[in-house]
């Protein structure tokens, strides 16, 4: 099962998909040990979801070919779980299928409620809440000899670079003078820092992840000086660890730094949103304004509280969203009710090039029903 990072681009690809033939199936399974302590219990809940998805269909609205494709998708999903699924420490599973048009599975770093949706578009709102939660963050472990870079994927640190190398010790001095030998050692250490920095720069470039540096205090400045300005800007904090700390132990050490970095980012964004809203500027608040501006391609950044839900109606022709029933103002088509309005807001925002951010640590959106946006114009 793919343990890929839940990036905005990956979410954008999912949100922009619409099945041309048949339906798109979205399935989420909670794999947290508290809800799925055994493989058998997870299996029972998974197959119950498949049954629920099959029963939710309006068979009369599908053609014979569409029904056949859908049946094949359910069989493929069931076989994947029975034969090819490896839980491997994941706290959740997300699966997306649409015949030969789309297939993707994701190991999730956090638990999400069990859910299955069968419609033309994928159900992406649950994934949107995970964007920015730490997945994709980079941890650089640096010392005079150690040089490892890890990426946080599906709630685990996975090594992506290992530039660890042995430096010569005092017994290697031979006939050199102490000063000359010390210069030789420092040159080797500097070259080592450069190698680690180049590897880190290459991973950060074009992606903009948060970076945490794990290094002895005495060596941080020397290493930071070898980084590009882009990589230095990405460093959100630094700490120390035992020489042989495991990836799991490193994650426990850096997690508070990542949480604080996220809280700081949320505060900055919400300060800007409050300022714009207070002076009647480029900000939307509440479901009606947010759905309208997202449909008009005006949303720069969609902001929503975790687990927020709201009613919405959507045009089956153009996808426009609204907070109440009626006809689409663009084409006059009757809108249909959507069970999770956040899906509409996320899809419209991403389809028009905007970004999304779940607000997890602040309560500023509570007075506006948990949703708002910063606007382009």
């Amino acid at each position: 099962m793919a343990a890929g990072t839940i990036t905005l681009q990956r979410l954008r690809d999912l949100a922009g998909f619409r099945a041309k033939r048949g339906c798109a199936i979205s399935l989420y399974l909670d794999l947290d040990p508290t809800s799925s302590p055994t493989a058998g219990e997870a299996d029972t809940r998974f197959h119950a979801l498949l049954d629920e998805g099959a029963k939710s269909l309006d068979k009369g609205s599908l053609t014979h070919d569409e029904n056949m494709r859908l049946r094949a998708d359910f069989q493929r999903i069931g076989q994947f779980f029975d034969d090819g699924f490896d839980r491997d420490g994941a706290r959740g599973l997300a699966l997306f299928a649409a015949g030969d048009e789309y297939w993707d599975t994701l190991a999730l770093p956090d638990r999400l409620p069990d859910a299955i949706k069968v419609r033309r578009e994928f159900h992406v709102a649950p994934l949107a809440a995970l964007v920015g939660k730490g997945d994709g963050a980079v941890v650089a472990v640096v010392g005079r000899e150690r040089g490892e870079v890890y990426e946080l994927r599906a709630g685990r640190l996975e090594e992506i670079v290992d530039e660890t190398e042995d430096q010569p010790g005092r017994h290697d001095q031979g006939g050199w003078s102490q000063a000359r030998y010390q210069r030789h050692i420092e040159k080797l250490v500097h070259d080592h820092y450069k190698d680690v920095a180049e590897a880190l720069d290459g991973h950060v470039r074009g992606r903009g992840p948060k970076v945490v540096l794990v290094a002895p205090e005495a060596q941080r400045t020397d290493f930071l000086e070898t980084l590009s300005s882009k990589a230095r800007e990405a460093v959100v904090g630094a700490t120390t660890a035992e020489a042989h700390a495991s990836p799991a132990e490193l994650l426990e050490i850096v997690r508070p730094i990542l949480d604080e970095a996220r809280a700081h980012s949320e505060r900055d964004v919400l300060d800007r949103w409050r300022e714009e809203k207070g002076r009647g500027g480029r900000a939307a608040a509440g479901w009606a304004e947010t759905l309208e501006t997202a449909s008009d391609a005006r949303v720069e950044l969609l902001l929503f509280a975790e687990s927020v839900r709201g009613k919405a109606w959507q045009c089956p022709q153009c996808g426009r969203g609204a907070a109440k029933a009626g006809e689409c103002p663009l084409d006059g088509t009757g809108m249909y009710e959507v069970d999770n309005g956040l899906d509409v807001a996320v899809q419209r925002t991403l389809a028009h090039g905007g970004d999304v951010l779940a607000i997890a640590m602040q309560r500023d959106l509570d007075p506006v029903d948990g949703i708002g946006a910063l606007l382009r114009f």
Side-chain angles (χ1 to χ4, degrees):
M1 179 172 61
T5 300
I6 304 168
T7 62
L8 272 172
Q9 185 55 54
R10 194 165 196 170
L11 188 61
R12 205 181 301 280
D13 292 342
L14 286 164
F17 178 82
R18 182 177 175 84
K20 297 176 181 178
R21 304 183 303 276
C23 294
I25 301 173
S26 309
L27 183 146
Y28 295 90
L29 184 68
D30 180 3
L31 292 175
D32 190 270
T34 59
S35 57
S36 300
T38 69
E41 287 170 291
D43 182 81
T44 298
R45 289 175 35 247
F46 179 85
H47 287 285
L49 280 175
L50 288 187
D51 291 341
E52 177 187 333
K55 292 175 182 177
S56 70
L57 292 174
D58 178 5
K59 301 295 197 304
S61 66
L62 301 178
T63 68
H64 174 73
D65 285 346
E66 288 174 340
N67 269 310
M68 294 298 292
R69 288 193 185 96
L70 199 56
R71 181 179 299 179
D73 276 344
F74 278 121
Q75 290 176 344
R76 181 184 181 186
I77 293 169
Q79 186 169 357
F80 159 78
F81 193 83
D82 292 338
D83 299 337
F85 173 63
D86 182 6
R87 183 167 173 167
D88 196 24
R91 298 189 69 194
L93 163 69
L95 186 151
F96 305 94
D100 57 2
E101 298 180 67
Y102 208 102
W103 172 269
D104 195 12
T105 61
L106 279 167
L108 303 179
D110 289 289
R111 61 190 304 182
L112 290 173
D114 292 352
I116 188 166
K117 304 289 182 184
V118 184
R119 54 197 191 195
R120 297 290 178 179
E121 303 88 7
F122 288 129
H123 175 49
V124 296
L127 282 188
L130 300 184
V131 173
K133 271 195 134 180
D135 235 27
V138 171
V139 177
V141 184
V142 182
R144 292 173 67 87
E145 296 184 348
R146 193 171 182 184
E148 298 154 1
V149 180
Y150 297 86
E151 185 178 54
L152 184 56
R153 299 172 180 167
R156 293 175 297 169
L157 287 179
E158 296 186 8
E159 186 178 89
I160 54 175
V161 172
D162 186 355
E163 292 285 349
T164 298
E165 54 187 56
D166 292 331
Q167 303 295 351
R170 292 186 179 276
H171 61 279
D172 299 317
Q173 181 173 342
W176 292 16
S177 69
Q178 181 60 38
R180 183 184 176 194
Y181 182 69
Q182 188 60 37
R183 287 196 299 271
H184 168 66
I185 295 296
E186 294 304 321
K187 173 65 165 58
L188 292 178
V189 171
H190 180 72
D191 290 345
H192 165 64
Y193 286 163
K194 285 183 63 177
D195 289 341
V196 180
E198 287 176 4
L200 181 58
D201 286 343
H203 193 71
V204 169
R205 191 180 302 119
R207 298 177 62 252
K210 291 180 173 62
V211 177
V212 177
L213 177 61
V214 180
E217 290 187 28
Q219 297 166 24
R220 291 176 195 167
T221 300
D222 289 343
F223 176 71
L224 287 170
E225 288 176 351
T226 64
L227 287 175
S228 67
S229 59
K230 181 73 172 178
R232 279 199 301 272
E233 291 171 2
V235 177
V236 296
T239 186
T240 58
E242 295 294 331
H244 301 292
S246 67
E249 291 169 332
L250 288 171
L251 182 56
E252 288 297 313
I253 293 169
V254 305
R255 178 67 76 181
I257 297 175
L258 292 174
D259 288 345
E260 177 54 34
R262 178 172 186 178
H264 182 74
S265 297
E266 287 186 11
R267 286 195 295 269
D268 286 347
V269 167
L270 288 167
D271 285 346
R272 180 183 161 202
W273 174 76
R274 279 196 306 272
E275 181 181 353
E276 291 286 348
K277 185 168 70 73
R279 62 185 178 87
R282 293 180 295 178
W287 286 97
E289 284 186 4
T290 304
L291 286 169
E292 179 180 3
T293 53
S295 297
D296 289 338
R298 295 175 57 197
V299 171
E300 173 190 323
L301 179 63
L302 178 70
L303 307 172
F304 57 94
E306 286 191 323
S307 303
V308 69
R309 295 184 68 89
K311 285 187 177 181
W313 282 258
Q314 189 168 25
C315 175
Q317 297 299 321
C318 68
R320 187 177 185 83
K324 59 182 181 180
E327 295 182 348
C328 176
L330 299 183
D331 53 39
T333 305
M335 293 184 164
Y336 65 93
E337 187 174 358
V338 178
D339 58 359
N340 186 350
L342 184 58
D343 257 339
V344 182
V346 168
Q347 287 170 352
R348 293 295 86 201
T349 296
L350 294 174
H352 295 303
D355 293 337
V356 298
L357 178 66
I359 303 299
M361 301 180 181
Q362 317 294 329
R363 304 300 298 270
D364 301 59
L365 296 174
D366 287 359
V368 293
D369 296 325
I371 194 165
L374 284 163
L375 307 180
R376 298 188 178 101
F377 57 91

